[in-house]
CSV table of all heavy atoms in Angstrom, one decimal:
chain,number,residue,atom,x,y,z
A,1,SER,N,169.6,77.4,-116.4
A,1,SER,CA,170.8,76.7,-116.8
A,1,SER,C,171.1,76.8,-118.2
A,1,SER,O,170.3,77.2,-119.1
A,1,SER,CB,170.6,75.2,-116.4
A,1,SER,OG,169.7,74.6,-117.4
A,2,ALA,N,172.3,76.5,-118.6
A,2,ALA,CA,172.8,76.6,-120.0
A,2,ALA,C,172.0,75.6,-120.8
A,2,ALA,O,171.6,75.9,-122.0
A,2,ALA,CB,174.3,76.3,-120.1
A,3,ASP,N,171.6,74.4,-120.3
A,3,ASP,CA,170.8,73.5,-121.0
A,3,ASP,C,169.4,74.0,-121.3
A,3,ASP,O,168.9,73.9,-122.4
A,3,ASP,CB,170.7,72.1,-120.2
A,3,ASP,CG,172.0,71.3,-120.3
A,3,ASP,OD1,172.9,71.6,-121.2
A,3,ASP,OD2,172.2,70.4,-119.4
A,4,ASP,N,168.8,74.6,-120.2
A,4,ASP,CA,167.5,75.2,-120.4
A,4,ASP,C,167.5,76.3,-121.5
A,4,ASP,O,166.6,76.4,-122.3
A,4,ASP,CB,166.9,75.7,-119.1
A,4,ASP,CG,166.5,74.7,-118.1
A,4,ASP,OD1,166.1,73.6,-118.6
A,4,ASP,OD2,166.5,74.9,-116.9
A,5,GLU,N,168.5,77.1,-121.4
A,5,GLU,CA,168.6,78.2,-122.4
A,5,GLU,C,168.8,77.6,-123.8
A,5,GLU,O,168.1,78.1,-124.7
A,5,GLU,CB,169.8,79.1,-122.1
A,5,GLU,CG,169.9,80.3,-123.0
A,5,GLU,CD,171.1,81.2,-122.6
A,5,GLU,OE1,171.7,81.1,-121.6
A,5,GLU,OE2,171.3,82.2,-123.4
A,6,ALA,N,169.6,76.6,-124.0
A,6,ALA,CA,169.8,76.0,-125.3
A,6,ALA,C,168.5,75.4,-125.8
A,6,ALA,O,168.2,75.5,-127.0
A,6,ALA,CB,170.9,75.0,-125.2
A,7,ARG,N,167.8,74.8,-124.9
A,7,ARG,CA,166.5,74.1,-125.4
A,7,ARG,C,165.5,75.2,-125.7
A,7,ARG,O,164.7,75.0,-126.7
A,7,ARG,CB,166.0,73.2,-124.3
A,7,ARG,CG,167.0,72.0,-124.2
A,7,ARG,CD,166.7,71.2,-122.9
A,7,ARG,NE,167.7,70.1,-122.9
A,7,ARG,CZ,168.0,69.5,-121.8
A,7,ARG,NH1,167.5,69.8,-120.6
A,7,ARG,NH2,168.9,68.5,-121.8
A,8,LEU,N,165.4,76.3,-125.0
A,8,LEU,CA,164.5,77.3,-125.3
A,8,LEU,C,164.9,78.0,-126.6
A,8,LEU,O,164.0,78.3,-127.4
A,8,LEU,CB,164.4,78.4,-124.2
A,8,LEU,CG,163.4,79.5,-124.3
A,8,LEU,CD1,162.0,78.9,-124.6
A,8,LEU,CD2,163.4,80.4,-123.1
A,9,LEU,N,166.2,78.2,-126.8
A,9,LEU,CA,166.6,78.8,-128.1
A,9,LEU,C,166.3,77.9,-129.3
A,9,LEU,O,165.9,78.3,-130.4
A,9,LEU,CB,168.1,79.1,-128.1
A,9,LEU,CG,168.5,80.3,-127.2
A,9,LEU,CD1,170.0,80.3,-127.1
A,9,LEU,CD2,167.9,81.6,-127.7
A,10,ARG,N,166.3,76.6,-129.1
A,10,ARG,CA,165.9,75.6,-130.1
A,10,ARG,C,164.4,75.8,-130.4
A,10,ARG,O,164.0,75.7,-131.5
A,10,ARG,CB,166.2,74.2,-129.7
A,10,ARG,CG,165.7,73.1,-130.6
A,10,ARG,CD,166.4,73.2,-132.0
A,10,ARG,NE,165.8,72.2,-132.8
A,10,ARG,CZ,165.7,72.3,-134.2
A,10,ARG,NH1,166.2,73.3,-134.8
A,10,ARG,NH2,165.1,71.3,-134.9
A,11,ALA,N,163.6,76.0,-129.3
A,11,ALA,CA,162.2,76.2,-129.5
A,11,ALA,C,161.9,77.5,-130.3
A,11,ALA,O,161.0,77.5,-131.2
A,11,ALA,CB,161.5,76.2,-128.1
A,12,VAL,N,162.7,78.5,-130.0
A,12,VAL,CA,162.5,79.7,-130.8
A,12,VAL,C,162.9,79.5,-132.3
A,12,VAL,O,162.2,80.0,-133.2
A,12,VAL,CB,163.4,80.8,-130.2
A,12,VAL,CG1,163.5,82.1,-131.1
A,12,VAL,CG2,162.9,81.2,-128.8
A,13,ALA,N,164.0,78.7,-132.5
A,13,ALA,CA,164.3,78.4,-133.9
A,13,ALA,C,163.2,77.6,-134.6
A,13,ALA,O,162.9,77.9,-135.8
A,13,ALA,CB,165.7,77.7,-133.9
A,14,LEU,N,162.6,76.7,-133.9
A,14,LEU,CA,161.5,75.9,-134.5
A,14,LEU,C,160.4,76.8,-134.8
A,14,LEU,O,159.7,76.7,-135.8
A,14,LEU,CB,161.1,74.8,-133.5
A,14,LEU,CG,162.0,73.6,-133.4
A,14,LEU,CD1,161.7,72.8,-132.1
A,14,LEU,CD2,162.0,72.8,-134.6
A,15,ALA,N,160.1,77.8,-133.9
A,15,ALA,CA,159.0,78.7,-134.2
A,15,ALA,C,159.2,79.5,-135.5
A,15,ALA,O,158.2,79.8,-136.2
A,15,ALA,CB,158.9,79.7,-133.0
A,16,GLY,N,160.4,79.8,-135.8
A,16,GLY,CA,160.7,80.5,-137.1
A,16,GLY,C,160.3,79.7,-138.3
A,16,GLY,O,160.0,80.3,-139.3
A,17,GLN,N,160.1,78.4,-138.2
A,17,GLN,CA,159.6,77.6,-139.3
A,17,GLN,C,158.2,77.8,-139.6
A,17,GLN,O,157.7,77.4,-140.7
A,17,GLN,CB,159.9,76.1,-139.1
A,17,GLN,CG,161.4,75.8,-139.0
A,17,GLN,CD,161.7,74.3,-138.8
A,17,GLN,OE1,161.1,73.5,-139.5
A,17,GLN,NE2,162.5,74.0,-137.9
A,18,SER,N,157.4,78.5,-138.7
A,18,SER,CA,156.0,78.7,-138.9
A,18,SER,C,155.7,80.1,-139.4
A,18,SER,O,154.6,80.4,-139.6
A,18,SER,CB,155.2,78.4,-137.6
A,18,SER,OG,155.6,79.3,-136.6
A,19,VAL,N,156.8,80.9,-139.7
A,19,VAL,CA,156.6,82.2,-140.2
A,19,VAL,C,155.9,82.1,-141.6
A,19,VAL,O,156.3,81.3,-142.4
A,19,VAL,CB,157.9,83.0,-140.3
A,19,VAL,CG1,157.7,84.3,-141.1
A,19,VAL,CG2,158.5,83.3,-139.0
A,20,GLY,N,154.8,82.8,-141.7
A,20,GLY,CA,154.0,82.7,-143.0
A,20,GLY,C,153.1,81.6,-143.1
A,20,GLY,O,152.3,81.4,-144.0
A,21,LEU,N,153.2,80.6,-142.1
A,21,LEU,CA,152.4,79.4,-142.1
A,21,LEU,C,151.2,79.5,-141.1
A,21,LEU,O,150.1,79.1,-141.4
A,21,LEU,CB,153.2,78.2,-141.8
A,21,LEU,CG,152.5,76.9,-141.6
A,21,LEU,CD1,152.0,76.4,-142.9
A,21,LEU,CD2,153.5,75.8,-141.1
A,22,SER,N,151.5,80.1,-140.0
A,22,SER,CA,150.6,80.1,-138.8
A,22,SER,C,149.7,81.3,-138.7
A,22,SER,O,148.8,81.3,-137.9
A,22,SER,CB,151.3,79.9,-137.5
A,22,SER,OG,152.1,81.0,-137.2
A,23,ASP,N,149.9,82.3,-139.5
A,23,ASP,CA,149.1,83.6,-139.4
A,23,ASP,C,147.6,83.3,-139.5
A,23,ASP,O,147.2,82.5,-140.4
A,23,ASP,CB,149.6,84.6,-140.5
A,23,ASP,CG,151.0,85.1,-140.3
A,23,ASP,OD1,151.4,85.0,-139.1
A,23,ASP,OD2,151.6,85.5,-141.2
A,24,PRO,N,146.8,83.9,-138.7
A,24,PRO,CA,147.1,84.9,-137.7
A,24,PRO,C,147.5,84.4,-136.3
A,24,PRO,O,147.6,85.1,-135.4
A,24,PRO,CB,145.7,85.6,-137.6
A,24,PRO,CG,144.7,84.6,-137.7
A,24,PRO,CD,145.4,83.6,-138.8
A,25,ASN,N,147.7,83.1,-136.2
A,25,ASN,CA,148.1,82.5,-134.9
A,25,ASN,C,149.6,82.9,-134.7
A,25,ASN,O,150.3,83.1,-135.6
A,25,ASN,CB,148.0,81.0,-134.9
A,25,ASN,CG,146.5,80.5,-135.0
A,25,ASN,OD1,145.6,81.3,-134.6
A,25,ASN,ND2,146.3,79.3,-135.4
A,26,PRO,N,150.0,82.9,-133.4
A,26,PRO,CA,151.4,83.2,-133.1
A,26,PRO,C,152.3,82.0,-133.6
A,26,PRO,O,151.9,80.9,-133.7
A,26,PRO,CB,151.4,83.3,-131.6
A,26,PRO,CG,150.2,82.6,-131.1
A,26,PRO,CD,149.2,82.6,-132.2
A,27,ARG,N,153.5,82.4,-133.8
A,27,ARG,CA,154.6,81.4,-134.1
A,27,ARG,C,155.2,80.9,-132.9
A,27,ARG,O,155.7,81.6,-132.0
A,27,ARG,CB,155.6,82.1,-135.0
A,27,ARG,CG,155.0,82.4,-136.4
A,27,ARG,CD,155.8,83.5,-137.1
A,27,ARG,NE,155.7,84.8,-136.5
A,27,ARG,CZ,154.7,85.7,-136.6
A,27,ARG,NH1,153.6,85.3,-137.2
A,27,ARG,NH2,154.7,86.8,-136.0
A,28,VAL,N,155.0,79.6,-132.7
A,28,VAL,CA,155.5,78.9,-131.4
A,28,VAL,C,156.2,77.7,-131.8
A,28,VAL,O,155.9,76.9,-132.7
A,28,VAL,CB,154.2,78.5,-130.5
A,28,VAL,CG1,154.7,77.9,-129.3
A,28,VAL,CG2,153.4,79.8,-130.2
A,29,GLY,N,157.3,77.4,-131.0
A,29,GLY,CA,158.1,76.2,-131.1
A,29,GLY,C,158.1,75.5,-129.8
A,29,GLY,O,157.9,76.1,-128.7
A,30,CYS,N,158.2,74.1,-129.8
A,30,CYS,CA,158.2,73.3,-128.6
A,30,CYS,C,159.3,72.2,-128.7
A,30,CYS,O,159.4,71.6,-129.7
A,30,CYS,CB,156.8,72.7,-128.4
A,30,CYS,SG,156.7,71.6,-127.0
A,31,VAL,N,160.0,72.1,-127.6
A,31,VAL,CA,161.0,71.0,-127.5
A,31,VAL,C,160.6,70.2,-126.2
A,31,VAL,O,160.4,70.8,-125.2
A,31,VAL,CB,162.4,71.6,-127.3
A,31,VAL,CG1,163.4,70.5,-127.0
A,31,VAL,CG2,162.8,72.4,-128.5
A,32,MET,N,160.5,68.9,-126.4
A,32,MET,CA,160.1,68.0,-125.2
A,32,MET,C,161.2,67.0,-125.0
A,32,MET,O,161.7,66.4,-125.9
A,32,MET,CB,158.8,67.3,-125.5
A,32,MET,CG,157.6,68.2,-125.5
A,32,MET,SD,156.1,67.2,-125.7
A,32,MET,CE,154.9,68.5,-125.5
A,33,HIS,N,161.6,66.9,-123.7
A,33,HIS,CA,162.5,65.9,-123.3
A,33,HIS,C,161.8,64.9,-122.4
A,33,HIS,O,160.9,65.3,-121.6
A,33,HIS,CB,163.7,66.5,-122.5
A,33,HIS,CG,164.7,67.1,-123.5
A,33,HIS,ND1,166.1,66.8,-123.4
A,33,HIS,CD2,164.6,68.0,-124.5
A,33,HIS,CE1,166.7,67.5,-124.3
A,33,HIS,NE2,165.9,68.2,-125.0
A,34,GLY,N,162.2,63.6,-122.4
A,34,GLY,CA,161.6,62.6,-121.5
A,34,GLY,C,162.2,62.8,-120.1
A,34,GLY,O,163.1,63.6,-119.8
A,35,ALA,N,161.7,62.0,-119.2
A,35,ALA,CA,162.2,62.0,-117.8
A,35,ALA,C,163.7,61.7,-117.7
A,35,ALA,O,164.4,62.1,-116.8
A,35,ALA,CB,161.4,61.0,-117.0
A,36,ASP,N,164.2,61.0,-118.7
A,36,ASP,CA,165.7,60.6,-118.8
A,36,ASP,C,166.5,61.8,-119.2
A,36,ASP,O,167.7,61.7,-119.3
A,36,ASP,CB,165.9,59.4,-119.7
A,36,ASP,CG,165.5,59.7,-121.1
A,36,ASP,OD1,165.1,60.8,-121.5
A,36,ASP,OD2,165.7,58.7,-121.9
A,37,GLY,N,165.9,63.0,-119.6
A,37,GLY,CA,166.6,64.1,-120.0
A,37,GLY,C,167.0,64.2,-121.4
A,37,GLY,O,167.6,65.1,-121.9
A,38,ARG,N,166.6,63.1,-122.2
A,38,ARG,CA,166.9,63.1,-123.6
A,38,ARG,C,165.8,63.6,-124.5
A,38,ARG,O,164.6,63.6,-124.1
A,38,ARG,CB,167.2,61.6,-124.0
A,38,ARG,CG,168.5,61.1,-123.3
A,38,ARG,CD,168.7,59.6,-123.6
A,38,ARG,NE,169.0,59.5,-125.0
A,38,ARG,CZ,169.2,58.3,-125.6
A,38,ARG,NH1,169.1,57.2,-124.9
A,38,ARG,NH2,169.5,58.3,-126.8
A,39,LEU,N,166.2,64.2,-125.6
A,39,LEU,CA,165.2,64.7,-126.5
A,39,LEU,C,164.1,63.7,-126.9
A,39,LEU,O,164.5,62.5,-127.3
A,39,LEU,CB,165.8,65.2,-127.8
A,39,LEU,CG,164.9,65.7,-128.9
A,39,LEU,CD1,164.2,67.0,-128.4
A,39,LEU,CD2,165.7,66.0,-130.2
A,40,ALA,N,162.9,64.0,-126.8
A,40,ALA,CA,161.8,63.1,-127.1
A,40,ALA,C,161.1,63.6,-128.4
A,40,ALA,O,160.7,62.8,-129.3
A,40,ALA,CB,160.8,63.0,-126.0
A,41,GLY,N,160.8,64.9,-128.5
A,41,GLY,CA,160.1,65.4,-129.7
A,41,GLY,C,160.2,66.9,-129.8
A,41,GLY,O,160.5,67.6,-128.9
A,42,GLU,N,160.0,67.4,-131.0
A,42,GLU,CA,160.0,68.8,-131.4
A,42,GLU,C,158.8,69.1,-132.3
A,42,GLU,O,158.4,68.2,-133.0
A,42,GLU,CB,161.3,69.2,-132.1
A,42,GLU,CG,162.5,68.9,-131.3
A,42,GLU,CD,163.8,69.4,-132.1
A,42,GLU,OE1,163.8,69.2,-133.3
A,42,GLU,OE2,164.7,69.9,-131.4
């Protein structure tokens, strides 16, 4: 869905914030929504 794609793209953008921080670990972002569908945490 367009919503899923947008949330995954947000996770990718968040992962970009760990460039140079997380090495040698991978750069990963996470977006969590509650059961109500609203943003809960990033």
Side-chain angles (χ1 to χ4, degrees):
S1 75
D3 286 341
D4 286 332
E5 184 176 354
R7 292 166 183 162
L8 186 54
L9 288 173
R10 174 65 183 153
V12 170
L14 287 164
Q17 294 182 47
S18 64
V19 171
L21 175 66
S22 65
D23 293 335
N25 292 341
R27 291 159 292 284
V28 179
C30 180
V31 174
M32 292 186 173
H33 281 231
D36 62 1
R38 296 175 65 185
L39 177 65
E42 298 181 326

